[in-house]
Amino acid sequence: MSAFHFEGLVWHWPIAIYLFLAGLSAGAVFFAIMLKHFKLAGEAYHSPFVQAAAIIAPITVFGGLGILVFDLTKPLDFWKILVFYNTTSVMSMGVLVLMAYQVALFAWIACIFNKMILQLLGDRLAFVSRMIKWLVKQEAAITGVLVILSISLGAYTGFLLSALIGFPLLNNPVLPLLFLISGLSSGAAATLLGGVLLRGNPNGIEVRFIHGIEIPMILVEIGLIFTFFVGLILSGGQSQVAALNAIGYGFWGWIFWGGVIGVGLTLPLAANLWMKVSADRKFTYVAVTASFSLIGVFLLRNFILYTGQMTGV
Amino acid sequence: MEHSKRQFLKGCGALLAGVSVYSVTKSPLAENTDTEAQAEIKYAMVHDENICIGCNACVEACREVNHVPEGVTRLKIDRTGPFGEYPEQSYRFNRVSCQHCEAAPCVRVCPTGAAYIDKKTGIVAVHEERCVGCQYCIAACPYQVRFINPETRTADKCDFCQQTQLKQGLAPACVLACPTKALTFGNLKDPDSDLVRLLKSKPTYRSKVDLGTRPKLFHVQIIDGEIML
């Protein structure tokens, strides 16, 4: 059995990229909101990290959706998914979440950067200015809705796969949680990376705040991965076969232990714990640990998608 | 202000949780209980593995009647074996095609409703116009019998010849083509049909019933050859 081509494979790597980008977008927004709420308040729009999140979140969600549309066998018919709905379909409900998420995302960005946008507009397009002023008044509500939608979006990517009852590795109740947490950490990593690239201070309060959340999150992620596979192995039967097949040996075993556990979780965790005691964070430090996290989450998406489809019931 | 925001968040959270639990629990199983009483026809099929000789006449007939392009198929006869020593050798044949599940996973996951159960006949069918080709149904089907038709670019599979033979009042092409009469097709709701009589006279099994899909393709298990675990 080759790692990328085998019988029963339906969804290929474009879907893994989509799952990665959707989770990343949700995570970036989540952390930008947390940064504003707990640390930056009215100064949020000055922060290169919030700016990075505001750029990354829309681009990744659009990119992911674009990949999804081109992966359809009839890309030009994509609008039918927006018109017809099936309440029992995870995908259908996910499309609703995605639509609402994008609206809330842009409303939130308009709120955060209202001063910049209003300044830029000047006297032109008076109705846009009026709308932004109105949105600013609703900021609390928009923020609340966006937090819920970003968490929903992060979990949805997991639910999408866990609805496939024929594959024991995917049809697993821990999967949506695992995808949510790993998606959030990829969003955090992307925000950090984008922030330092936009000349944000690698030793600033934003980095310290996100790193503070990152350690418990990595620990939770390790716990979830552990629960995920131990649960499968203890279930016995095909679930056990699927789990051992995935992490036991071969190409995907290497990806799991080396890529997901090693590069994605252990290295950033070790780096974060080490940095706690030492003083200054440098650009390279932030950029490299963030890149490790991103690589780890991207490999996790591919690993789950491919190994999940390898062992049918 | 803080207070109202918290109230609002709580409300949103509760609403969201409620809606998602409701939509997940509203399963095809639950829906079927109302329609089951009304429909007069519920088509099913029996494949007798003792009679099947693996000649693939059914596969060819299906391809011809339903214009299934080369490279894909709605129906496969899986061959395992040989079992035993020459000259006492035997093979086993298993029909792999749409099981027309009562609680069809493909129907549940389809985002546009292109995969649906025909309420009048119980046939799991595809609404070609609505299908966008997301392939979620193909991934969701535990029997791996759905495929993308390279010509129409839509999800395709066995529909008991709903659009071809049944329209003309004929039995499915595979049933008519079978030289040994290993296939029996009929209405589960008609107690006098050959299908029901066969199901009552011989023990049958269905594939992967533990998944709760309630398939309507029955198999008469082969009694020939060695016992397999």
Side-chain angles (χ1 to χ4, degrees), chain A residues 73-74 80 86 88-89 160, chain B residues 108-110 129 131 136 153:
Chain A
T73 59
K74 295 197 283 187
K80 285 174 184 164
N86 174 9
T88 64
S89 170
L160 186 72
Chain B
R108 186 194 278 229
V109 302
C110 178
E129 285 297 300
C131 177
Y136 203 13
R153 300 192 158 276

Side-chain angles (χ1 to χ4, degrees), chain B residues 44-48 99 188 195 199 204-206 215-220:
Chain B
M45 187 178 274
V46 182
H47 177 232
D48 193 330
Q99 321 268 316
L188 268 178
L195 177 96
L199 285 174
T204 52
Y205 76 93
R206 291 178 294 162
K216 291 202 289 282
L217 176 62
F218 298 80
H219 308 263
V220 180

